[in-house]
Amino acid sequence: MNPKREFTCINCPLSCTVTVSPGEAGLTVSGHECRRGEEYALQEYTDPRRVLTGTVAVDGAALPRLPVKTDGPIPKTLVREAAAALSRIKVRAPVRCGEIIVANFAGSGSNLVATRDLGPDLDL
Amino acid sequence: MINTQQNPELAVIGGGPAGLAAAAAAYDAGCKNILLLERDRELGGILNQCVHDGFGNFIFGASMTGPEYAHRFVREVRRRPGIKLLTGTMVLSLSPERRLTAANPEGLLTLQPEAVILAMGCRERSRFQVLLPGYRPAGVYTAGAVQRLINMEGVMPGERIVILGSGDIGLIMARRLTLEGARVLGVFEIAPRPGGLTRNVVQCLDDFSIPLYLSHTVTFLHGKKRLEGVNVAPVDEKGRPQSGAERFIPCDTLILSVGLIPENELTRQAGIPLDPATGGPVVDQDMATSVPGFFACGNVVHVHDLVDYVTLTAQRAGRGAARYLRNRKTGGEARVMAGEGIAYVVPQRLSLPADEAVDLYFRVQAEQREVRLQALHRGTVLAQKKERMVRPPEMLRLTLDPSRLSGLAGGDTIEVTLKGEAVHESKA
Ligand code: SF4
């Protein structure tokens, strides 16, 4: 059985420490002062996800780096590997904000998309 | 060479989130001859280098990255033909009579707009403002400089990193550097509490097991050419390093995230009074400064934690400037004061009549649980709310309904106060 774990709820400044403990009857949550904390901690315990943001190399553009993100939150366990994969990507300008750079990025089920317009001049 | 640029009705200084939203709002409120001046090569300001997400939750109900948020407003501005955009243009001087001098590759530019919106943003506190002893080696950066290097120029500043200060940009760069393969050895914060938002402490440090040392500071920089390491030490309640408790951490890069200061060189030149509590100009609910014709918005006025609030107050400034160009309020003014437990309130004054809802933005002096926040006028509560927890890094807001403001007279005072909720209940 998984051990019990503590999370700091990030949904309001109170920053409750919420504990999730596995037991016979399933998961027990304690320490939260409202429902948002319970939902947050359960999500963090069972399937924590993050949107990965970063940059990739770009050729033929006014800047050497193009900012990108995953278009949905990806499993937290994939974040480091996916971030490392960004350094192996190179695209060619022009690129449009929202354009898909890699579909199903790093097997995450989310696409890697550009988060700005970038062309040879800064006034694309 | 002297530039021949037509005098605009309204000049907006700064093309970041504040200037963009202000220009679009002024246009929509009837001012069709606007010139926006931006010193960088492109519009968007600091958002262009903030490639992380978390922007726009409040206004758009969606988490966007900085460039995406900027993009939306750049598009809005470009769609309005009466807004002329001049990038690569730096405003050099500004007089109280609104004489504005700027320079760009084409030459000098002199303008005489009827109204000016100040939207220059803020800048970072540097090493010299926190008085770090030691040598002056390469490898010491501010967090924003590192953000620009990595995200826009594709340059890694170093491999073994120490971060001084736990402001939001420092926390975000701790994560960014880690994901780029650097080792962040720790974040050292002189205060007993983090300077940034909890969300950033959790998602940028805890997620990557980066240690946060509260009540600690950097006491010495080693290395003649390149940084070779820093001394760190715990501090006492007054922030003084404890002697004998120093330890040496070998590192090649020190990043400072020790606060932001509103950028008000031009504001001072124009003779506009500043509020010592915010570091920015004193403004009314339309973001009008105390000198007629000058408006201000965004981080020039006070440093915001969320860009969403920058956008909202900038829109207010834009509408205010457009209205000023048509007709002026003459009903006197009321003062807004930071009362018990409150560090500052913006706006600092209300021009009367106050016929629209007014948002008061403020910060508390210290962290506290279970509080009631109130805006009071002669003992009457104009607006109030309860909060389970308030912290200085998180900006707070109270909205005053116009129906409650009709009784205000020139010279009146509105006070924002914080009261412990438990105390309040026992009295009731
Ligand atoms: S559990 Fe509720 S009260 Fe506690 S931090 Fe989360 S959102 Fe705030």
Side-chain angles (χ1 to χ4, degrees), chain A residues 9-57:
Chain A
C9 178
I10 60 168
N11 289 302
C12 91
L14 201 55
S15 308
C16 296
T17 303
V18 188
T19 308
V20 180
S21 334
E24 304 291 284
L27 297 173
T28 327
V29 186
S30 61
H32 54 288
E33 299 217 9
C34 78
R35 264 211 22 233
R36 283 195 295 165
E38 181 174 3
E39 284 163 16
Y40 171 80
L42 282 173
Q43 176 77 37
E44 284 291 288
Y45 190 89
T46 53
D47 181 24
R49 285 175 172 262
R50 301 285 184 267
V51 169
L52 174 68
T53 61
T55 64
V56 298

Side-chain angles (χ1 to χ4, degrees), chain A residues 8-10 13-15 33 40 50-55 62-65 67-69 76 79-80 83 97 114-117 122-123, chain B residues 41-42 48 51-53 63 65 67-68 71 78 150-154 176 178-180 198-199 202-203 207-208 369 388-389 391 394:
Chain A
T8 306
C9 178
I10 60 168
L14 201 55
S15 308
E33 299 217 9
Y40 171 80
R50 301 285 184 267
V51 169
L52 174 68
T53 61
T55 64
L63 295 167
R65 306 296 297 184
V68 292
K69 70 171 185 183
K76 198 175 143 190
V79 163
R80 275 179 190 265
C97 187
T115 56
R116 68 166 284 167
D117 292 348
L122 281 173
D123 270 348
Chain B
R41 293 180 299 165
E42 62 176 341
N48 290 327
V51 304
H52 58 281
D53 71 336
S63 178
T65 64
E68 288 171 311
H71 188 249
R78 287 198 199 283
I150 298 182
N151 291 343
M152 297 190 75
E153 292 168 29
R176 192 78 186 89
T178 306
L179 288 175
E180 288 290 339
T198 307
R199 173 178 90 188
V202 170
Q203 296 201 337
D207 268 11
F208 299 94
R369 281 188 74 132
R388 314 202 60 179
M389 171 75 132
R391 298 179 59 225
E394 331 240 357

Side-chain angles (χ1 to χ4, degrees), chain A residues 41-105:
Chain A
L42 282 173
Q43 176 77 37
E44 284 291 288
Y45 190 89
T46 53
D47 181 24
R49 285 175 172 262
R50 301 285 184 267
V51 169
L52 174 68
T53 61
T55 64
V56 298
V58 53
D59 267 341
L63 295 167
R65 306 296 297 184
L66 171 76
V68 292
K69 70 171 185 183
T70 56
D71 63 1
I74 66 170
K76 198 175 143 190
T77 46
L78 264 182
V79 163
R80 275 179 190 265
E81 185 190 324
L86 291 180
S87 63
R88 297 188 291 272
I89 298 170
K90 186 168 228 176
V91 297
R92 264 213 80 77
V95 186
R96 281 286 186 183
C97 187
E99 199 174 309
I100 295 179
I101 306 298
V102 183
N104 186 17
F105 179 54

Side-chain angles (χ1 to χ4, degrees), chain B residues 178-214:
Chain B
T178 306
L179 288 175
E180 288 290 339
R183 272 207 60 199
V184 179
L185 304 163
V187 175
F188 295 83
E189 168 59 57
I190 195 164
R193 315 210 180 281
L197 302 173
T198 307
R199 173 178 90 188
N200 289 329
V201 174
V202 170
Q203 296 201 337
C204 300
L205 301 186
D206 299 355
D207 268 11
F208 299 94
S209 310
I210 298 167
L212 170 61
Y213 301 90
L214 297 171

Side-chain angles (χ1 to χ4, degrees), chain B residues 264-329:
Chain B
N264 278 297
E265 294 304 319
L266 293 171
T267 319
R268 277 192 204 94
Q269 277 186 26
I272 295 167
L274 302 183
D275 177 349
T278 55
V282 171
V283 291
D284 74 359
Q285 73 271 36
D286 281 339
M287 308 308 285
T289 71
S290 316
V291 177
F294 285 97
F295 292 74
C297 55
N299 286 342
V300 146
V301 179
H302 60 128
V303 176
H304 294 62
D305 50 351
L306 299 178
V307 71
D308 304 60
Y309 289 137
V310 167
T311 300
L312 291 177
T313 54
Q315 288 168 337
R316 191 77 197 229
R319 291 201 305 274
R323 181 154 67 177
Y324 165 88
L325 290 167
R326 288 196 310 272
N327 61 333
R328 283 149 216 200
K329 286 190 182 180

Side-chain angles (χ1 to χ4, degrees), chain B residues 123-139:
Chain B
R123 62 175 173 219
E124 297 179 277
R125 250 193 209 114
S126 71
R127 163 175 184 184
F128 300 100
Q129 284 152 323
V130 291
L131 297 173
L132 279 182
Y135 294 96
R136 277 150 180 51

